[in-house]
Amino acid sequence: GTPDEIVTGVKLEVEGVLLNGVLMASKVSFRESVRLESDVATISPPGTPTRTLTLVELNSPALQVTVNSQTQLDNIANLDAINVGDHLIIRGRPTGATTVTATEVKLDAGKTDVILQGAVDSAADPFVVILGVTVDTSGFGFSDFQGVDDNPAGIGRAAFFNAVTTGTLVKAQGELVGGNVIWDEIELED
């Protein structure tokens, strides 16, 4: 990564010496904080060493995922083997409000799961905006709101929205049904 990629929501690991309350960094490493899973909606430009993908139902307002020669591919021969309609699991880091650089892309054919994990842009019950994508939780029950402990009973709507602020890491899960996502759970991530 580069210094201009250090933006809100990016997880970093910093090593160094603490002097007078200031960490003098000797090493800064990016850590993945974004996880996406869905079908590929668009690929552009095809046939180039760097591609921009959008994913079904995660493309409002066009969440863009950059895949390049540094991206680790799992179950995919090369960038040319990624096609519209492929179901992908993507790990990466945010590089802007609605942009992600993929560090790992895995083909997982035949699945309908949708996952959107990242830092919260904003939250006002019943809506949570993650990487520019709005998740509507209005139909969720008590147990559909999960804390970091993954207690099956859940934490409920009030506790979830009291815990969420801008920058909080959350994961929304759903399923693709007829080309649309049906969100069914949201959880706080550690």
Side-chain angles (χ1 to χ4, degrees):
T2 60
D4 61 320
E5 292 178 299
I6 299 174
V7 297
T8 301
V10 170
K11 284 176 108 177
L12 300 173
E13 179 180 307
V14 181
E15 296 177 18
V17 177
L18 192 60
L19 295 172
N20 299 322
V22 176
L23 181 62
M24 304 302 289
S26 59
K27 180 180 178 184
V28 178
S29 302
F30 285 93
R31 296 291 180 238
E32 300 167 342
S33 62
V34 173
R35 180 173 176 211
L36 309 170
E37 182 173 347
S38 190
D39 293 351
V40 176
T42 65
I43 303 171
S44 64
T48 60
T50 299
R51 312 284 165 80
T52 300
L53 310 176
T54 62
L55 303 174
V56 172
E57 284 304 312
L58 301 182
N59 62 351
S60 178
L63 172 60
Q64 297 183 343
V65 179
T66 300
V67 181
N68 58 37
S69 61
Q70 299 298 309
T71 303
Q72 178 184 340
L73 301 177
D74 186 358
N75 206 20
I76 304 169
N78 54 50
L79 291 180
D80 292 328
I82 299 174
N83 298 297
V84 170
D86 285 349
H87 191 83
L88 301 179
I89 298 172
I90 298 169
R91 293 196 177 272
R93 64 181 188 275
T95 51
T98 61
T99 56
V100 171
T101 295
T103 55
E104 180 182 350
V105 175
K106 177 181 179 181
L107 178 64
D108 203 8
K111 294 188 76 181
T112 58
D113 297 335
V114 176
I115 293 177
L116 172 62
Q117 176 181 301
V120 170
D121 298 332
S122 65
D125 189 2
F127 303 106
V128 179
V129 180
I130 307 164
L131 296 167
V133 178
T134 301
V135 177
D136 182 353
T137 67
S138 58
F140 287 18
F142 189 94
S143 63
D144 298 329
F145 294 92
Q146 293 288 316
V148 293
D149 61 357
D150 288 329
N151 182 336
I155 62 171
R157 178 179 302 280
F160 179 84
F161 279 97
N162 284 335
V164 173
T165 60
T166 300
T168 302
L169 190 62
V170 299
K171 177 171 67 174
Q173 299 178 76
E175 187 172 346
L176 281 174
V177 178
N180 297 310
V181 68
I182 306 299
W183 297 108
D184 56 26
E185 184 177 282
I186 194 161
E187 71 180 84
L188 301 169
E189 291 294 297
D190 195 6

